Amino acid sequence: MNQTCAVKRYTFGTPFPTHAVVRSIPCETGEVQEMLVRDEGRILQLLLDAEDIVFGLGEQVRGLNKRGWKYISNNTDDPNHTEGKHSLYGSHNFLMIDGIEKIGLFIDTPGKVIFDIGYSMSEQLRIEIPDRNYDLYVITGPSSEAVVHTFRALIGRSYIPPRWAFGYGQSRWSYETADEVREVVREHRERGIPLDMVYLDIDYMDDYKDFTIDSEKFPDFPSFVQEMKEQQVHLVPIIDAGIKKAEGTYSVYDEGMEKGYFCKDAEGKPFEVAVWPGRSYLPDFFREDVRTWFGDHYRGLLDMGIDGFWNDMNEPAIFYSDKRLKEVFAKIEEYKKQNLDVNSFFEFQASVSGLANSPEDYRSLRHDTEAGRIGHESVHNLYGALMTKAAADGFRRARPDTRTLMFSRSSYIGSHRDAGIWQGDNMSWWSHLKMNVQMTASLNMCGFLYTGADAGGFGDDASPDLLLRWLGFAVFTPLLRNHSVRGSRRQEIWRMVRTEECRQILSLRYAFLPYIYSEYMKAVFEDGLLFRPLAFAYPDDARARHVEDQLLFGEGLMLAPVVEQNAWGRYVYLPEDMKLLRMRSACDYDEEILQKGDHWVPAMEHEILVFIRPDRIVPFGSGEARSTEQVSTEELRLLSYIKTKAAYDLYTDDGVKNVQGPEDGIIIHYEQSV
Ligand code: MIG
């Protein structure tokens, strides 16, 4: 880890301060040496060897190795994460070129960046930064691990959630009443299914107004929060970016309007957009006073006993603006008179569906910054990050010593210090399970350690086997949440037909929890990775380098999730001898030592494959806990594969107080030898 890397910074134009980087790196005065610079810096080029792997980009479509596609950093609320897409909800402009040389690149700009990674020309990496205002960081070093570590140190320490946030969370759009939530909790508790969180989606609010509660559906909310806590369940409400227009009846709106806190349009008037509540306004998070104002509003819910939130719709998502709507209505009048044929029909369809997230609306949005009023486009990818910052700073003021759970949909590098992210509106598709596996490792490189996808898939209908397999991977992701869209098949474990098998898989999460938490915290303290591609640990093994669907998990484990429908197992490549655990529950598993090389490993739908690396120890609980509070670090069993000897330092702490480093917790030392 202590191998040294060189970091250089080159500046083009006048970059907007993103605060992604927390160390000050002197700016190079000469030409960029590592890349070909064209068009005054609008284009950066680099030749790739056939063998080079390009890792990184955080939340993006496609594989671990990003070669062969074009990715665009342009935060987008698009619930169809198909292979043909170029942008998702976050922008994480970090690439790690893993070849004979190891080069990390970070393009620090909140505007659009286009990464053509061997898409136009197989052997060329071409990065286009249309507005040409950015900092380029180039990190070179002896290994991918070292380069990523150096990058992570540059962008600062990752967010630490409370320990209970490593439990299982059940969500749905939406649990509409307190009684519905009670039912969810009761069903879990009665059947012995572990549970730590229930999420409240938009319907807990009064008329979709942020920071309000519908007191008919959730009477006496503070005592309800308490009642749930007594059952060891934390309620986690959603907060949206848009503030509903409701004159005279909603103080957040009135105050925001009176003080001029909302984003402006091209004429300088508050920009009216429509989101969930209908007509709404977007807080101008680029202003510090607005961030403080918004962040302080979380306090109301904190005072009611809430200690976790998720921030949504902060790309920002815009359903429509008045202007666009009028245009479309006018067009509809024209279309009405026509015989809609193959051309005009599709035009008509596109004009209606093009209402949402229209580039023209983004072009007319304005923000007030320290540098004066600026257009939204050049800073688009920072909006969600600044909403997250507003919330996180609010928590720091309201409860400086205590951790608050917080994750966001939209993000930029830098938000990893303030919160986690979830991977957005995925679908109940096998391909999205695979994407979850790959994206999680890519996000780790960019600092996002507290992350996970909606297990079972958000959109479309989940099948019981898909949910089982998905949980089989998600039990390792720090954020473990089952969430689904309204109208889709109910996805709660107890409503699905394979409840007992799901319950057993979930019990494994709680058995591994001491290790998961320890590895998470170490990754935070050491700017390290929780999930790593095999290439990082076995750089000289050509087979291992190109494995796309197995990941190292912490110090001791390798995971090989099954991501295919009806598979009875899968091929696994072992870069060295390992011990296979085929696990059905915390007390029911088989062990087998497998030699380095390729293996077909059977894995039924209710089994997960966990591999222990040689001379590693993994402390392991009984799996009987039904909430994280019941997980103890006393009397842990040791899963291990000892060839000579091994040691493990388990980190633990009280799980809610803020900590700065391992010295603020407790280390339990384990050792084994033959
Ligand atoms: O556009 O609040 O990604 O998790 O259930 C829909 C309703 C708005 C999008 C989030 C999803 C959430 C949904 N929200």
Side-chain angles (χ1 to χ4, degrees):
M1 228 24 158
N2 285 329
Q3 298 159 307
T4 43
C5 295
V7 183
K8 287 194 206 166
R9 174 166 73 97
Y10 302 93
T11 298
F12 292 86
T14 324
F16 186 85
T18 65
H19 305 286
V21 170
V22 296
R23 308 256 156 116
S24 84
I25 306 293
C27 186
E28 298 290 316
T29 46
E31 308 255 286
V32 178
Q33 283 162 25
E34 297 80 3
M35 304 184 83
L36 181 66
V37 178
R38 292 179 34 211
D39 200 6
E40 297 172 304
R42 275 176 201 88
I43 290 165
L44 301 171
Q45 272 177 215
L46 193 126
L47 280 180
L48 297 171
D49 276 340
E51 291 288 293
D52 289 355
I53 299 175
V54 182
F55 290 113
L57 289 187
E59 187 181 36
Q60 262 295 0
V61 294
R62 302 210 174 204
L64 268 177
N65 183 352
K66 307 314 277 191
R67 278 186 85 153
W69 190 238
K70 188 162 85 175
Y71 309 85
I72 303 178
S73 288
N74 180 34
N75 295 356
T76 306
D77 169 23
D78 178 346
N80 289 297
H81 312 163
T82 51
E83 271 185 52
K85 294 297 165 68
H86 304 278
S87 307
L88 295 174
Y89 310 89
S91 290
H92 310 134
N93 302 334
F94 173 68
L95 290 181
M96 165 66 232
I97 303 160
D98 178 320
I100 294 172
E101 283 181 276
K102 318 288 176 190
I103 306 174
L105 299 174
F106 176 45
I107 316 290
D108 191 9
T109 170
K112 190 179 279 184
V113 184
I114 302 156
F115 296 90
D116 180 331
I117 310 182
Y119 168 71
S120 301
M121 297 209 319
S122 318
E123 316 265 284
Q124 185 179 279
L125 165 68
R126 184 180 186 277
I127 305 174
E128 188 183 340
I129 308 98
D131 90 353
R132 200 193 154 264
N133 295 309
Y134 63 98
D135 282 308
L136 164 69
Y137 292 85
V138 183
I139 307 171
T140 46
S143 67
S144 295
E145 185 92 35
V147 168
V148 169
H149 172 68
T150 302
F151 174 62
R152 294 277 307 285
L154 211 59
I155 59 174
R157 205 183 80 170
S158 298
Y159 162 75
I160 300 177
R163 196 175 76 133
W164 52 260
F166 289 82
Y168 177 62
Q170 181 58 56
S171 184
R172 175 77 179 176
W173 177 13
S174 297
Y175 297 125
E176 301 223 9
T177 62
D179 280 341
E180 228 186 298
V181 174
R182 286 189 181 99
E183 183 195 14
V184 172
V185 175
R186 192 174 55 241
E187 293 291 345
H188 283 80
R189 291 286 174 250
E190 275 176 6
R191 294 160 199 264
I193 308 170
L195 183 71
D196 270 276
M197 287 157 277
V198 174
Y199 289 83
L200 300 179
D201 208 323
I202 43 178
D203 296 283
Y204 79 89
M205 297 181 209
D206 171 23
D207 231 357
Y208 308 128
K209 294 191 293 240
D210 274 348
F211 311 115
T212 68
I213 309 279
D214 185 325
S215 58
E216 264 169 46
K217 294 162 160 183
F218 291 88
D220 195 2
F221 193 67
S223 11
F224 179 55
V225 175
Q226 226 23 63
E227 177 192 326
M228 291 296 111
K229 281 221 172 130
E230 275 151 29
Q231 306 211 44
Q232 301 172 358
V233 169
H234 297 257
L235 295 178
V236 185
I238 194 170
I239 299 291
D240 279 324
I243 296 296
K244 184 184 167 93
K245 175 178 186 178
E247 217 178 314
T249 55
Y250 179 33
S251 62
V252 184
Y253 167 79
D254 286 332
E255 209 188 333
M257 198 46 97
E258 189 191 305
K259 302 218 164 118
Y261 283 167
F262 298 124
C263 298
K264 307 289 186 299
D265 63 16
E267 287 88 52
K269 295 201 295 285
F271 196 124
E272 190 177 289
V273 298
V275 266
W276 284 111
R279 304 300 165 97
S280 305
Y281 291 86
L282 296 167
D284 192 358
F285 292 117
F286 286 82
R287 284 171 55 175
E288 195 177 341
D289 54 347
V290 175
R291 287 200 298 273
T292 306
W293 168 73
F294 194 87
D296 281 345
H297 272 99
Y298 287 81
R299 205 176 280 219
L301 285 154
L302 292 173
D303 289 344
M304 295 186 202
I306 292 294
D307 41 18
F309 300 88
W310 47 310
N311 278 353
D312 191 19
M313 303 291 277
N314 48 5
E315 291 72 27
I318 300 179
F319 288 176
Y320 62 84
S321 67
D322 218 27
K323 223 174 175 177
R324 292 283 92 63
L325 198 62
K326 281 192 184 124
E327 280 170 19
V328 171
F329 285 153
K331 269 199 195 150
I332 288 175
E333 286 306 314
E334 276 171 44
Y335 287 125
K336 268 186 185 168
K337 296 173 208 145
Q338 290 176 32
N339 166 16
L340 292 183
D341 65 6
V342 61
N343 299 315
S344 48
F345 171 72
F346 288 111
E347 263 171 37
F348 162 65
Q349 219 182 19
S351 68
V352 177
S353 64
L355 263 179
N357 305 323
S358 134
E360 269 181 65
D361 282 339
Y362 289 128
R363 264 195 291 279
S364 22
L365 259 185
R366 297 286 182 276
H367 301 292
D368 287 328
T369 70
E370 275 166 26
R373 187 160 293 179
I374 59 170
H376 175 76
E377 270 196 306
S378 61
V379 293
H380 172 73
N381 294 333
L382 209 53
Y383 186 82
L386 290 174
M387 177 187 184
T388 302
K389 183 171 162 47
D393 287 342
F395 305 148
R396 287 179 193 117
R397 286 190 299 275
R399 22 192 259 154
D401 305 320
T402 313
R403 307 179 206 172
T404 306
L405 170 62
M406 159 84 191
F407 56 89
S408 168
R409 194 170 69 179
S410 182
S411 61
Y412 183 79
I413 289 178
S415 339
H416 71 286
R417 299 190 299 266
D418 289 327
I421 57 172
W422 94 99
Q423 295 164 18
D425 294 347
N426 61 0
M427 299 277 190
S428 298
W429 297 344
W430 293 90
S431 59
H432 279 186
L433 166 54
K434 182 169 181 187
M435 184 160 78
N436 180 196
V437 174
Q438 296 170 317
M439 196 189 282
T440 302
S442 306
L443 278 167
N444 271 209
M445 297 174 204
C446 300
F448 293 90
L449 298 181
Y450 190 76
T451 181
D454 291 344
F458 174 73
D460 278 350
D461 296 326
S463 59
D465 55 332
L466 175 67
L467 180 61
L468 248 181
R469 288 290 197 202
W470 209 312
L471 290 174
F473 172 67
V475 289
F476 295 100
T477 62
L479 169 56
L480 164 59
R481 177 174 86 146
N482 176 341
H483 179 47
S484 55
V485 68
R486 65 177 172 189
S488 65
R489 180 180 188 177
R490 300 299 299 232
Q491 208 165 285
E492 293 84 6
I493 283 173
W494 93 85
R495 293 189 207 261
M496 282 288 205
V497 293
R498 302 181 76 172
T499 305
E500 180 53 19
E501 291 157 294
C502 287
R503 187 182 81 83
Q504 297 287 6
I505 295 286
L506 271 187
S507 75
L508 280 165
R509 162 62 159 231
Y510 287 75
F512 276 115
L513 199 103
Y515 173 77
I516 295 175
Y517 186 68
S518 169
E519 289 297 312
Y520 184 95
M521 297 300 279
K522 286 183 193 174
V524 171
F525 297 146
E526 293 162 15
D527 298 320
L529 299 166
L530 188 58
F531 290 91
R532 281 179 300 162
L534 303 193
F536 281 48
Y538 307 97
D540 304 321
D541 181 334
R543 275 279 285 119
R545 275 167 49 74
H546 294 279
V547 171
E548 282 275 327
D549 59 352
Q550 301 169 209
L551 295 173
L552 296 168
F553 181 66
E555 206 176 297
L557 299 181
M558 182 181 79
L559 304 175
V562 176
V563 298
E564 231 175 282
Q565 185 179 347
N566 294 324
W568 282 49
R570 54 163 290 170
Y571 283 99
V572 177
Y573 175 71
L574 301 191
E576 56 186 331
D577 298 353
M578 292 187 187
K579 182 193 272 183
L580 160 67
L581 303 180
R582 188 184 298 106
M583 310 186 94
R584 291 166 289 275
S585 76
C587 44
D588 180 16
Y589 52 87
D590 328 307
E591 299 189 8
E592 190 184 344
I593 308 280
L594 295 179
Q595 311 283 299
K596 172 180 160 95
D598 287 288
H599 297 267
W600 163 260
V601 184
M604 301 301 286
E605 282 156 359
H606 62 292
E607 294 178 318
I608 62 174
L609 303 178
V610 175
F611 297 83
I612 309 180
R613 299 174 68 190
D615 289 329
R616 300 293 208 289
I617 296 175
V618 174
F620 189 66
S622 68
E624 272 155 28
R626 298 293 170 256
S627 73
T628 50
E629 254 179 80
Q630 297 169 12
V631 173
S632 138
T633 48
E634 279 158 41
E635 290 174 36
L636 295 176
R637 286 179 277 167
L638 299 182
L639 303 176
S640 62
Y641 173 30
I642 309 296
K643 280 191 149 176
T644 53
K645 61 179 174 117
Y648 185 73
D649 283 331
L650 183 84
Y651 171 89
T652 186
D653 57 27
D654 82 342
V656 287
K657 280 206 289 291
N658 280 331
V659 287
Q660 298 310 319
E663 64 284 357
D664 292 339
I666 300 165
I667 302 286
I668 306 172
H669 183 74
Y670 299 96
E671 268 180 38
Q672 277 186 333
S673 55
V674 280

